Amino acid sequence: MTGRSLTGAGDLLELVRSGRAVTRGALQQATGLSRATVGQRLDRLFRAGWLREGAGGPVDSPLGGRPSITLEFDDAHAIVLAADLETRHARAAVLSLTGEILAEHSGTLAIEDGPDAVLGELGRWFAELVEKAGHRAEEVCGIGLAVPGPVDLESGRVVQPPIMPGWDGYHIRSRLARAFTEHTGAGPLPVLVDNDANLMAYGEQRTAYPDCSAFVLVKVSTGIGAGVVVDGSLYRGIDGGAGDLGHIRVPAGAEALCRCGSYGCLAAVASGGAVARRLAAAGVPAASGSDVRDLLASGHPEAAALAREAGRQVGDVLATVVTLLNPSVLMIAGDLSGTSFLTGVRELLYQRALPRSTAHLEVVTSRLGERAGLVGAGALVVEHLYAPERVEERLLAMGV
């Protein structure tokens, strides 16, 4: 909200949601608005069902008196749907407006089957989940979707995704909204789409590291991607291509053909898919990053050795990332994010990066696990719908 006056109902809601001003008096002080004007703005938010009164706060005056009534964002007035697509598997959930998962489902869903079939099936999952959570379809305010490819945020379309055949330029938003309507009869909903590593980073940073001003998450599964959160906002680049670490060229991959069609990409030598191919060549049954994850969990020695070497390759690249961005938290997530891979990352990262770049760096693993993308997708929808300028639009559309 920097750079403009804090005068609208949306601005007041943002102050309450963020905890910066949670009484009428504090809102007057923060905005410079009169008591009557603050009351009028709040009345609109109460009528919309977005605010509620909480318990009385402390008495500010030394002379005593009645405690101030606190204001709270009412997270019970709507719910959010979220889904996280991987190459062969998907997870979907119903979330509260504060990020609590109310119901979830995971199952096989092959992204190579194409967007029409996959998004149609997601619509069916969503309909069943809403009922399972004990809510009505009309209570859903929006849908968030995480996909394993670069996304143009403005259009919501994936752009030349290496591991999503048939999805390039497809209008995901309208198809998913239509699929939800087909299975529920509810009206059209806003749909937001973003890269899976971005949304994992957003969910993890907001949940576990809210005060971290420079946060990097690296997801290593079938492919390799990174999400970057700076000052609480996702950094996506000019067209959604930021964080595509998997297609940085590395010397060790000179002879390795990547799924993007080029030789030498990091993903071709250090992703879960690459490790799975090496294990399969050695006679160990493995077809994907999830298979490698299962082998690592069972203590398979060859899988552990290959995962550590993959970690070293990724750590070499991350030394440059850490030097460039100077984050305070570097999180490793995805199928390979176990001890062996993390050991390899740390070996090369601390060897290649300058001590100045790593002096205050935490290298950690995921807190939210497989739910990170869902939490991030839900948060993306909520932040979009309750942004101050959009609150004004929505209130007017409601006639409030």
Side-chain angles (χ1 to χ4, degrees), residues 73-390:
F73 179 59
D74 189 345
D75 66 334
H77 71 268
I79 53 175
V80 175
L81 297 175
D84 187 1
L85 294 180
E86 297 185 1
T87 52
R88 300 193 305 166
H89 183 270
R91 185 176 294 268
V94 178
L95 297 93
S96 73
L97 297 181
T98 51
E100 178 188 359
I101 292 182
L102 306 176
E104 67 181 308
H105 173 76
S106 62
T108 301
L109 201 56
I111 212 160
E112 64 184 17
D113 288 344
D116 189 63
V118 169
L119 298 175
E121 182 66 2
L122 273 184
R124 186 179 69 79
W125 286 14
F126 282 148
E128 293 176 354
L129 281 169
V130 170
E131 185 176 350
K132 179 181 177 182
H135 287 270
R136 296 176 294 107
E138 291 73 22
E139 296 177 72
V140 180
C141 63
I143 300 174
L145 178 65
V147 297
V151 176
D152 176 65
L153 192 68
E154 195 67 30
S155 67
R157 304 183 190 212
V158 290
V159 182
Q160 299 177 2
I163 59 175
M164 299 178 69
W167 289 73
D168 185 23
Y170 187 87
H171 206 302
I172 295 173
R173 288 175 178 170
S174 61
R175 176 65 182 108
L176 187 52
R178 189 170 73 251
F180 181 68
T181 297
E182 288 169 355
H183 287 282
T184 63
L189 287 173
V191 176
L192 274 68
V193 186
D194 207 337
N195 171 261
D196 56 356
N198 280 350
L199 293 179
M200 289 173 70
Y202 198 48
E204 294 277 9
Q205 187 270 337
R206 289 172 60 85
T207 301
Y209 300 92
D211 299 323
C212 176
S213 60
F215 178 95
V216 176
L217 177 143
V218 179
K219 179 185 179 183
V220 186
S221 291
T222 299
I224 301 175
V228 180
V229 183
V230 177
D231 292 332
S233 297
L234 279 165
Y235 178 75
R236 300 182 176 89
I238 60 170
D239 62 1
D244 205 358
L245 294 183
H247 301 287
I248 292 176
R249 304 294 176 84
V250 293
E255 304 299 321
L257 177 63
C258 182
R259 294 181 68 168
C260 73
S262 298
Y263 285 88
C265 294
L266 179 65
V269 295
S271 65
V275 173
R277 287 191 292 274
R278 290 188 182 183
L279 287 169
V284 180
S288 67
S290 59
D291 292 335
V292 177
R293 178 192 61 208
D294 294 341
L295 289 167
L296 291 171
S298 68
H300 193 283
E302 192 163 358
L306 288 173
R308 181 167 180 169
E309 178 55 32
R312 289 171 59 84
Q313 296 290 342
V314 172
D316 198 7
V317 170
L318 290 179
T320 300
V321 172
V322 165
T323 302
L324 179 66
L325 297 178
N326 191 210
S328 61
V329 177
L330 171 63
M331 178 174 284
I332 308 298
D335 291 332
L336 263 62
S337 61
T339 302
S340 300
F341 184 85
L342 195 62
T343 298
V345 167
R346 285 180 166 142
E347 284 178 12
L348 263 288
L349 173 62
Y350 288 105
Q351 178 183 323
R352 298 293 171 83
L354 291 172
R356 170 71 180 79
S357 301
T358 57
H360 303 289
L361 176 69
E362 287 185 74
V363 182
V364 299
T365 53
S366 172
R367 296 283 188 90
L368 296 174
E370 294 181 333
R371 290 177 163 179
L374 296 176
V375 173
L380 187 73
V381 172
V382 172
E383 293 307 313
H384 171 79
L385 291 178
Y386 295 92
E389 63 278 8
R390 203 150 288 106

